[in-house]
Amino acid sequence: EKDGYDHFMQKEIAEQPRAYRDTMLGRIDKETKGVVLPELNMTLEDIHQIQQIQMVACGTAYHAALVGKAVIERMTRIPVEIDVASEYRYRQPVIRENTLVIAVSQSGETADTLAAMREAKLCGARVMAVTNVVGSSVAREADDVLYTMAGPEIAVASTKAYTSQLIALYLFAIYVSQSLNTMDAMTRMELLSTMEKLPEQVEGMLEDTRTIQRIAGELADRNHLFFIGRGLDYMVAMEASLKLKEISYIHSEAYAAGELKHGSLALIEDGTPVIAIATQEALLEKTISNIKEVKARGAYVIGVALEGNMEMAKTADEVIYIPRTDALLTSTLSVVPLQLLAYYAALARGNDVDKPRNLAKSVTVE
Ligand code: F6R
């Protein structure tokens, strides 16, 4: 059932191009070059009534929701709040009738996420689920369901479910923006055709993983490291850090690149690995200066940058390149080599990659 792969995680990373395609399938109209989501019950009028959006999710799904929040706000100008699902209820969130709550959950059975969405429903919110499992509790209880088409995910560490959540949330953001006319048609068409190229670009990245394997080998005997990034890169940094922790057991932290100097820079010593994600070219100069700050303290810097980025080649010790795409979409590409990095680091440490210690695939307790 692993189809010739050594581990489910490896197989699921490799399945991502298909998962991207399936999640987009039938949802991009060839003629109008717009997004169609007939499975949603919400009408155009319902969409116009949304005053605010709140997102709830846990772990990796929360990291996907962070990207969702950023793109929904940018494309639709609807304010989006986001909570880790286990915290949502206890902060007494302000929920109104025109609040849309989006619960993101691969399994659709996560107790914390279910509890958060039940609370939202009680307070009168409309709830939309983004889930991978048809008929799951989250899907049954939500007013609207947007399915990710990742297929069954067996490895505890989520990979293709996360990237499919990204794709689904991008489609939803575009869908709302086209309903509200907050994005011009040209921009939308270009964005959608750029999205359609992503599966092929991921395939390209998966062809040769030798650089990543070599870097993973170098990181395997370290005890702690940092991930830094700005904007969407920071959100991917959080996900990459979680992935590395949960399967390799190497301690890592993700920081907004500009935040490190406000305290944690004190932890950088000679040889401390820092993985710097810098795919947001508008923010590049600032991130490069943050990289120089850590380099000056002896850090061993691994950059993740867009192909052809010469600045990074000059500044970092190692560079992992990803293909060029729209600045809003880079998260769907930059996370892939970092999933592989976690995978190979865990392998090098002799860990049970698919079943890391202390963790379960579906967390049904609060
Ligand atoms: C990490 C991971 C977990 C889940 C989290 C939520 O790789 O898989 O952090 O993302 O437990 O699970 P779902 O999405 O099923 O609600």
Side-chain angles (χ1 to χ4, degrees):
E1 50 188 23
K2 286 182 201 150
D3 286 345
Y5 291 95
D6 297 330
H7 301 95
F8 283 109
M9 184 182 179
Q10 187 188 25
K11 170 172 177 266
E12 289 161 6
I13 289 173
E15 282 171 346
Q16 289 180 114
R18 196 222 14 90
Y20 287 33
R21 279 191 191 102
D22 288 353
T23 303
M24 284 188 268
L25 192 73
R27 289 170 168 169
I28 301 175
D29 188 85
K30 292 277 172 273
E31 264 157 45
T32 60
K33 268 290 174 194
V35 175
V36 283
L37 299 173
E39 63 265 58
L40 298 186
N41 297 318
M42 56 179 89
T43 61
L44 192 59
E45 200 191 326
D46 292 333
I47 294 175
H48 276 273
Q49 271 165 9
I50 301 170
Q51 294 289 318
Q52 66 155 346
I53 294 175
Q54 295 177 343
M55 302 184 79
V56 291
C58 306
T60 286
Y62 174 75
H63 295 151
L66 283 171
V67 175
K69 168 188 155 68
V71 298
I72 292 169
E73 283 190 334
R74 278 225 224 152
M75 292 183 195
T76 72
R77 309 315 294 162
I78 299 173
V80 184
E81 290 180 7
I82 181 161
D83 284 88
V84 164
S86 58
E87 289 292 318
Y88 182 71
R89 266 192 296 174
Y90 308 108
R91 73 164 172 97
Q92 299 179 340
V94 180
I95 306 169
R96 300 210 172 90
E97 261 169 50
N98 44 23
T99 300
L100 172 69
V101 171
I102 305 178
V104 185
S105 174
Q106 185 280 128
S107 63
E109 301 297 345
T110 300
D112 288 321
T113 309
L114 260 173
M117 73 181 267
R118 284 176 184 153
E119 175 78 9
K121 283 203 84 169
L122 272 180
C123 296
R126 184 183 189 108
V127 178
M128 179 177 100
V130 177
T131 182
N132 197 38
V133 180
V134 178
S136 59
S137 304
V138 163
R140 276 186 280 115
E141 294 188 26
D143 300 296
D144 301 273
V145 187
L146 182 57
Y147 284 107
T148 50
M149 302 296 182
E153 192 179 63
I154 311 290
V156 165
S158 180
T159 53
K160 62 175 182 169
Y162 166 81
T163 45
S164 303
Q165 285 160 354
L166 296 182
I167 299 290
L169 289 167
Y170 281 111
L171 290 173
F172 181 71
I174 297 169
Y175 181 69
V176 174
S177 76
Q178 103 204 352
S179 309
L180 300 178
N181 262 316
T182 49
M183 184 195 285
D184 67 88
M186 237 356 237
T187 312
R188 182 185 74 232
M189 289 177 197
E190 275 171 24
L191 195 61
L192 286 171
S193 28
T194 310
M195 269 181 82
E196 288 179 307
K197 294 188 190 112
L198 294 170
E200 226 181 289
Q201 292 180 310
V202 175
E203 269 156 14
M205 282 191 289
L206 295 172
E207 265 166 30
D208 183 1
T209 59
R210 282 173 301 181
T211 307
I212 298 163
Q213 290 190 51
R214 181 173 50 74
I215 297 171
E218 283 169 39
L219 297 180
D221 62 351
R222 305 306 177 97
N223 294 319
H224 78 126
L225 61 90
F226 290 93
F227 286 88
I228 60 171
R230 284 173 181 262
L232 291 183
D233 290 332
Y234 172 41
M235 294 149 201
V236 172
M238 286 188 250
E239 171 55 12
S241 174
L242 178 64
K243 216 87 302 172
L244 187 73
K245 273 180 279 217
E246 71 175 323
I247 58 169
S248 77
Y249 317 145
I250 299 171
H251 173 238
S252 70
E253 289 187 60
Y255 273 93
E259 183 64 8
L260 208 58
K261 60 183 175 295
H262 296 287
S264 307
L265 195 58
L267 289 170
I268 305 288
E269 299 173 313
D270 205 25
T272 305
V274 174
I275 302 181
I277 313 172
T279 69
Q280 298 295 299
E281 303 231 293
L283 309 171
L284 186 64
E285 210 183 309
K286 293 261 162 66
T287 305
I288 293 284
S289 83
N290 301 133
I291 294 174
K292 287 179 179 159
E293 281 163 9
V294 296
K295 283 277 314 168
R297 274 92 187 164
Y300 165 66
V301 176
I302 299 142
V304 177
L306 299 179
E307 260 160 23
N309 182 332
M310 289 302 155
E311 241 352 83
M312 188 60 104
K314 277 186 259 163
T315 322
D317 298 286
E318 298 272 4
V319 189
I320 297 169
Y321 286 105
I322 65 158
R324 288 192 170 260
T325 184
D326 189 281
L328 278 178
L329 300 174
T330 56
S331 51
T332 59
L333 298 180
S334 57
V335 74
V336 176
L338 298 171
Q339 294 168 337
L340 287 165
L341 193 72
Y343 172 76
Y344 287 116
L347 267 193
R349 288 166 74 104
N351 297 350
D352 185 345
V353 177
D354 285 336
K355 285 202 178 63
R357 67 187 183 202
N358 310 343
L359 300 173
K361 181 66 183 161
S362 185
V363 185
T364 51
V365 290
E366 279 185 57

